[in-house]
C-alpha cells in the first residue's frame, strides 16, 4: 500500500451541503524516510574524514619530499615508481584540502569514464598483484560524463582496493561499464546513466554488515575502514550513488553517474 493522507471538509455548493474528501499520496515523505539512513551514514563519514585529514597533511608532505630525494638517485627505469609516489601524494594532498574546505569543490569537466578506470587499474597493476586477474568489460560507445574527475577516480580506487582486499589479492577483478536508461536515484529519474561495476570473486559480505557497509570503521573483508564511506560521499557529490549486490563468490559494487550536459550547474 502507498501511504496516504485523508482530509475531510464540509462546504456549501449551490446552496447544498457537500462533504469534500481529499486523498493525498505521501510518496515523497516515504521516500525521504527510506533514504535517511544513507544520508546519516554520509554525514558520519564526512565528520570523521575532516578530523582525519588534519592528521594526514604533515606525513603526506614528508612522503612526497622523500620520494623526490630518492628519485635523484635512481635510474630512469626505476624513476617511474617514484613519479607515481609523487603524483599520488599530490592527488591526496588535493583531496585532503578539499575535505577541509568543502566550500571550494573540485571543478566539473567533460570526462571519459574509461580514462579513470584505466588510471585506477594502472595504479593497481604497479603494485604487482601476481595472483590477481583483471578483466576489462567496457562499452566503448559511452558518452563523456560531466563530473569532478579526481573525486570519481578516488571513489573507483577505493572500490577496487576494497575488492582486492576482500579476495586477499587473488581471484578475478572485473571492471564493467554500461549505459543504463531511465534509472532513478532517490526520487529523481535520469534518462541516461553510466554504470561502472567493480566485481570480485571474494567470499561475499557478511549479512550483519549489509545495512552498515558504508558506515566508517566497520570491520570485515568488504569494508576498508573509511574507504566505502568516502567513495559513497564523493559519488553523491556528483549526483550519483553506489549500490551493491553480494553472494558467496561474487560481490559487485555499482557506481551510477548521470549523463548531464556540461552547461548544467550541479550542486556539490
Amino acid at each position: 500500500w502507498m501511504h496516504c493522507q485523508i482530509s475531510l471538509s464540509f462546504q456549501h455548493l449551490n446552496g447544498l451541503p457537500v462533504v469534500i474528501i481529499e486523498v493525498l499520496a505521501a510518496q515523497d515523505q516515504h521516500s525521504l524516510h527510506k533514504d535517511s539512513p544513507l544520508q546519516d551514514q554520509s554525514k558520519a563519514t564526512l565528520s570523521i574524514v575532516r578530523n582525519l585529514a588534519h592528521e594526514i597533511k604533515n606525513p603526506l608532505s614528508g612522503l612526497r619530499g622523500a620520494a623526490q630525494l630518492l628519485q635523484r638517485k635512481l635510474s630512469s627505469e626505476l624513476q617511474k615508481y617514484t613519479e607515481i609516489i609523487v603524483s599520488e601524494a599530490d592527488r591526496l594532498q588535493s583531496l585532503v584540502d578539499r575535505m577541509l574546505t568543502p566550500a571550494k569543490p573540485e571543478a566539473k569537466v567533460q570526462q571519459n569514464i574509461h580514462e579513470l578506470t584505466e588510471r585506477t587499474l594502472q595504479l593497481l597493476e604497479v603494485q604487482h598483484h601476481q595472483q590477481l586477474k583483471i578483466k576489462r568489460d567496457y562499452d566503448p560507445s559511452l558518452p563523456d560524463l560531466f563530473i569532478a574527475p579526481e573525486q570519481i577516480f578516488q571513489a573507483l580506487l577505493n572500490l577496487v582496493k576494497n575488492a582486492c582486499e576482500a579476495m586477499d589479492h587473488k581471484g578475478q577483478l572485473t571492471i564493467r561499464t554500461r549505459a543504463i536508461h531511465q534509472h532513478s536515484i532517490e526520487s529523481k529519474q535520469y534518462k541516461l546513466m553510466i554504470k561502472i561495476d567493480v566485481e570480485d570473486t571474494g567470499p561475499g559480505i557478511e549479512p550483519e554488515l549489509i545495512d552498515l557497509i558504508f558506515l566508517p570503521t566497520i570491520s570485515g573483508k568488504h569494508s576498508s575502514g573509511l574507504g566505502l564511506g568516502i567513495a559513497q560521499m564523493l559519488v553523491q557529490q556528483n549526483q550519483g550513488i553506489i549500490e551493491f549486490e553480494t553472494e558467496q563468490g561474487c560481490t559487485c559494487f555499482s557506481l551510477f553517474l548521470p549523463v548531464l550536459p556540461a552547461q548544467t550547474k550541479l550542486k556539490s
Side-chain angles (χ1 to χ4, degrees):
W1 279 101
M2 180 182 292
H3 294 279
C4 299
Q5 294 178 346
I6 301 175
S7 63
L8 301 176
S9 60
F10 178 82
Q11 298 182 13
H12 282 85
L13 182 64
N14 296 328
L16 298 175
V18 176
V19 175
I20 299 177
I21 303 176
E22 293 182 294
V23 181
L24 302 175
Q27 185 174 4
D28 290 342
Q29 183 179 3
H30 176 69
S31 178
L32 178 61
H33 290 314
K34 179 181 178 183
D35 298 324
S36 59
L38 186 58
Q39 295 171 354
D40 291 341
Q41 291 179 12
S42 294
K43 289 179 180 178
T45 300
L46 181 59
S47 176
I48 294 176
V49 166
R50 287 180 177 172
N51 291 331
L52 187 60
H54 287 285
E55 304 298 324
I56 292 176
K57 293 193 72 173
N58 290 336
L60 197 58
S61 298
L63 178 66
R64 187 186 191 280
Q68 288 179 314
L69 292 174
L70 182 61
Q71 190 171 24
R72 300 174 186 175
K73 300 183 178 181
L74 293 177
S75 64
S76 58
E77 182 180 353
L78 295 176
Q79 284 181 359
K80 63 181 180 180
Y81 298 110
T82 53
E83 288 173 359
I84 289 175
I85 295 174
V86 172
S87 175
E88 285 301 292
D90 289 341
R91 181 182 64 80
L92 290 175
Q93 182 66 58
S94 177
L95 177 64
V96 166
D97 290 341
R98 289 197 302 273
M99 293 300 180
L100 293 174
T101 56
K104 297 179 180 179
E106 179 191 356
K108 294 179 172 64
V109 297
Q110 290 292 110
Q111 177 71 55
N112 184 287
I113 192 61
H114 296 133
E115 292 180 7
L116 298 182
T117 57
E118 283 302 297
R119 182 178 162 195
T120 303
L121 293 178
Q122 181 184 21
L123 189 60
L124 180 67
E125 289 169 342
V126 166
Q127 298 175 2
H128 302 293
H129 296 300
Q130 302 291 340
Q131 296 177 292
L132 181 66
K133 297 179 181 178
I134 297 176
K135 179 181 177 182
R136 294 167 171 86
D137 184 4
Y138 293 165
D139 179 352
S141 67
L142 295 179
D144 289 349
L145 289 165
F146 187 56
I147 55 175
E150 291 302 317
Q151 291 181 342
I152 300 305
F153 170 68
Q154 181 66 51
L156 283 170
L157 187 60
N158 287 8
L159 293 180
V160 165
K161 286 184 175 180
N162 186 74
C164 292
E165 291 174 4
M167 297 185 291
D168 290 328
H169 303 285
K170 54 187 176 183
Q172 178 170 290
L173 174 71
T174 300
I175 306 296
R176 184 184 303 108
T177 59
R178 293 291 186 270
I180 305 295
H181 298 273
Q182 302 298 332
H183 188 79
S184 296
I185 297 180
E186 297 181 359
S187 61
K188 188 170 184 178
Q189 187 176 59
Y190 296 92
K191 292 183 179 179
L192 181 62
M193 304 194 76
I194 288 180
K195 177 186 178 187
I196 306 102
D197 292 333
V198 178
E199 185 177 285
D200 67 69
T201 55
I205 302 173
E206 297 90 337
E208 62 270 19
L209 295 181
I210 286 179
D211 293 333
L212 307 172
I213 197 67
F214 292 109
L215 279 173
T217 68
I218 294 298
S219 62
K221 282 195 173 183
H222 265 94
S223 178
S224 52
L226 291 170
L228 292 178
I230 291 176
Q232 184 71 276
M233 180 182 66
L234 294 173
V235 171
Q236 287 178 343
Q237 290 178 5
N238 288 267
Q239 290 190 292
I241 197 169
I242 298 175
E243 300 175 356
F244 69 92
E245 296 180 350
T246 184
E247 61 182 30
Q248 178 66 33
C250 181
T251 296
C252 182
F253 281 83
S254 299
L255 195 161
F256 293 87
L257 290 168
V259 177
L260 299 171
Q263 64 268 25
T264 301
K265 292 184 178 180
L266 306 179
K267 293 182 180 180
S268 300

